[in-house]
Amino acid sequence: KYTKFSICYYWINSLDQKTSIYSRLENVAIPSGEENKTAALSYDYRIMPLENTSSTGTYYCKVKWNDIQKMGKGVFVLVRDTGYINASYGWEILVTLTVLLSVLSITTTALLLWKRKVLCPRRNHPNILRQEVETQLPSASLPQPPVYD
């Protein structure tokens, strides 16, 4: 009684419309000595390719015997457009920002050190200027003003 059955695959879209995909009849032979025992058989079916986003929905499998019908729980399939890329730029932005700030920090530090070297005179520089001023003044006619450091 249960050796002949049909397997039917279908899907239900977001508008609750049922669409049959594939069905086939099975006739399973029972080996001798295995009568009146429960058996589980697997049947796989691949749905390829899914044409477009309208193929999104829940896909089901149903088995029918003469007086009994069993249906699977269903598998929800979300179909996206071709070329869809999950936009996750978190790490790229973080690395770029870190590199940019590091370069700016190093450049600013280098400029400040270079500027300090150019603007700040060396310690013996004022003495050189003082010696030049003292040699230019006439020593006999005018008294020398006091020099302050």
Side-chain angles (χ1 to χ4, degrees):
K1 178 178 178 179
Y2 298 109
T3 59
K4 293 181 182 181
F5 55 92
S6 67
I7 301 172
C8 178
Y9 298 93
Y10 64 94
W11 69 283
I12 298 176
N13 64 14
S14 60
L15 303 172
D16 285 336
Q17 297 170 330
K18 183 178 175 180
T19 304
S20 179
I21 299 171
Y22 177 76
S23 63
R24 71 185 199 196
L25 293 172
E26 287 291 327
N27 188 5
V28 179
I30 300 174
S32 174
E34 297 292 318
E35 296 90 358
N36 297 324
K37 290 187 178 178
T38 301
L41 301 173
S42 294
Y43 293 91
D44 294 331
Y45 180 74
R46 287 187 185 219
I47 303 165
M48 295 293 278
L50 297 173
E51 293 94 22
N52 52 35
T53 56
S54 64
S55 298
T56 295
T58 306
Y59 289 74
Y60 295 93
C61 172
K62 179 171 57 174
V63 178
K64 287 167 63 170
W65 290 272
N66 291 336
D67 55 348
I68 300 173
Q69 177 175 309
K70 294 285 184 180
M71 189 170 84
K73 296 176 184 176
V75 175
F76 180 76
V77 176
L78 175 63
V79 181
R80 295 182 174 169
D81 284 335
T82 304
Y84 175 82
I85 296 172
N86 193 2
S88 173
Y89 299 112
W91 285 107
E92 290 87 355
I93 290 173
L94 182 63
V95 169
T96 303
L97 188 62
T98 303
V99 168
L100 182 65
L101 289 175
S102 297
V103 168
L104 286 174
S105 175
I106 292 168
T107 304
T108 304
T109 303
L111 285 174
L112 285 174
L113 290 174
W114 178 75
K115 199 77 160 165
R116 182 175 176 195
K117 206 178 232 187
V118 169
L119 290 180
C120 294
R122 296 188 325 208
R123 290 192 179 262
N124 59 0
H125 188 67
N127 293 335
I128 294 170
L129 286 177
R130 188 178 334 132
Q131 288 172 358
E132 289 177 7
V133 169
E134 289 174 358
T135 56
Q136 290 174 359
L137 292 174
S139 57
S141 61
L142 294 174
Q144 289 185 357
V147 178
Y148 299 102
D149 283 339

